[in-house]
Amino acid sequence: MAAPRGPWPEVQDTCTSLGLMLSIVLSVALARGVLRRHVHRPTAHTFVSEFLATFQLCFCTHELQLLGEQEPGHPTWPLTLTYFFSLVHGLTLVGTSSNPCGVMMQMLLGEMSPETGAMRLLAQLMAALGSRYCIGALWSLGLTRYHVGERSFACRNPIHVDLPKAVVVEAICSFIFHGALLHVQEVRAKLRIHMLAALITFLVYAGGSLTGAIFNPALALSLHFKCFDEAFLQFFIVYWLAPSLGILLMILTFSLFLPWLYNNHTTNKKE
C-alpha cells in the first residue's frame, strides 16, 4: 500500500513516524497501568514490566534510527529526537532497566538476586526480538515512503572502526552512562531525568558515527539481529562483552580508586 502523498511528504512521513512512537509509548503506559491493578504476583509483575519497557525502547529506537537516516546532513534533528525520547523513556519506564548491563550492575552491587536478574534478562531478550519482528510487520504496511519491511531484516553494519576501537567506544559509553546512573540517584527526579537524557544524547553524538553508541546488549540485538547472524563473534564482542567490561571497570574504579564516592552511594542506598 503506497503512502499518501501531499504538499509536504517529508513532514507527513516524519509526523507519521513520531505518531507511531508516541502510540507505542501510550500503549505501554496503559498496559503498565493495567498490570499494576490486576497482577499482584511480584514475579509476573517484574517480568511483564521489563518486557514492556524493553519493547518500548527497542521499537522507538528502530524508528529513531530510520528517521535519522533520512536527514544525514542535519544531525541536530536526530539528536533532538534522541534527547526527547530519552526523556520520555525516563519518565514512563520508572522501575525498569531495559538494559542487561543495568541488571548486571545491580546484581554485582548486591541490589538484585540472581533469580530476579535472570528473569529480567529473559524478558529483555524476548522483548528485543519481539519488537524487531513487530516493527518489520509494521514497516511492511508502507505507512511512509521509507517504511520497507525488508529493511528490518537486512544487516546495516554500524561499526565503522576496527574491532579494538569499537570495543573501547562501547566500553567507555557503558562506563560513563552507568557510572552516572549509579551516582545521580540522590538528585531530584525531574533534574536527574534531564541529566541522563543529555548524557545519552552526548554519547550518541560522540560515538554514534563509530559504533552507534548503543551500550545496551538487548537493544543491539534488536537493531542488528541479522548482523549478529552474519558476524556473530564481532558483534558479540562489541555489543555484549564491551558494555559488560565497562560495567566491571566502573564498579572496580569506584570501589578501589574512589572508595569515598562508592561508600557514599552505598550509605545513601541503606538510608
Side-chain angles (χ1 to χ4, degrees):
M1 182 175 64
R5 297 268 65 89
W8 301 291
E10 293 83 4
V11 175
Q12 288 182 335
D13 288 344
T14 299
C15 289
T16 300
S17 192
L18 291 174
L20 288 174
M21 287 187 278
L22 292 176
S23 297
I24 286 295
V25 171
L26 291 175
S27 299
V28 168
L30 178 63
R32 282 166 60 89
V34 172
L35 185 68
R36 279 193 297 270
R37 293 190 188 93
H38 300 289
V39 179
H40 304 294
R41 292 178 56 191
T43 303
H45 187 279
T46 299
F47 181 88
V48 177
S49 293
E50 198 67 48
F51 179 92
L52 291 172
T54 307
F55 185 93
Q56 174 181 311
L57 175 66
C58 293
F59 185 99
C60 291
T61 306
H62 275 284
E63 279 292 332
L64 282 176
Q65 188 180 62
L66 192 62
L67 280 175
E69 292 174 359
Q70 308 314 309
E71 296 289 342
H74 301 85
T76 54
W77 173 237
L79 288 174
T80 301
L81 290 177
T82 298
Y83 179 79
F84 174 74
F85 277 95
S86 295
L87 284 178
V88 171
H89 296 322
L91 288 168
T92 60
L93 302 181
V94 177
T96 59
S97 65
S98 310
N99 188 338
C101 289
V103 173
M104 176 183 173
M105 180 178 72
Q106 289 180 286
M107 291 173 63
L108 290 173
L109 293 172
E111 298 173 0
M112 183 182 295
S113 68
E115 295 78 11
T116 301
M119 183 174 55
R120 285 181 180 268
L121 289 174
L122 178 61
Q124 290 169 358
L125 294 179
M126 289 177 62
L129 295 176
S131 67
R132 175 178 178 80
Y133 286 100
C134 284
I135 202 78
L138 187 63
W139 285 351
S140 66
L141 298 177
L143 299 177
T144 72
R145 60 192 169 91
Y146 45 78
H147 276 174
V148 181
E150 292 77 11
R151 183 192 183 283
S152 65
F153 297 101
C155 174
R156 306 171 74 87
N157 195 331
I159 302 175
H160 302 296
V161 293
D162 56 35
L163 183 60
K165 289 181 182 177
V167 169
V168 170
V169 170
E170 286 295 315
I172 289 177
C173 287
S174 183
F175 181 104
I176 293 174
F177 175 73
H178 289 96
L181 186 64
L182 188 65
H183 292 95
V184 298
Q185 297 305 313
E186 287 71 44
V187 178
R188 245 186 345 169
K190 290 182 179 180
L191 178 59
R192 180 174 70 245
I193 292 171
H194 281 278
M195 290 171 62
L196 292 173
L199 179 59
I200 290 171
T201 306
F202 168 74
L203 293 174
V204 170
Y205 171 75
S209 61
L210 304 176
T211 64
I214 300 174
F215 52 94
N216 182 333
L219 180 58
L221 184 65
S222 182
L223 293 176
H224 305 296
F225 181 78
K226 187 64 175 177
C227 297
F228 273 89
D229 184 42
E230 296 178 3
F232 176 79
L233 185 60
Q234 180 190 27
F235 276 75
F236 179 76
I237 291 172
V238 172
Y239 294 114
W240 282 73
L241 291 186
S244 301
L245 178 62
I247 291 289
L248 291 173
L249 290 176
M250 182 270 294
I251 293 176
L252 288 174
T253 298
F254 284 113
S255 61
L256 297 179
F257 301 106
L258 296 171
W260 58 272
L261 191 56
Y262 178 79
N263 291 335
N264 182 57
H265 162 75
T266 54
T267 300
N268 289 331
K269 277 287 184 182
K270 290 177 182 177
E271 293 174 353

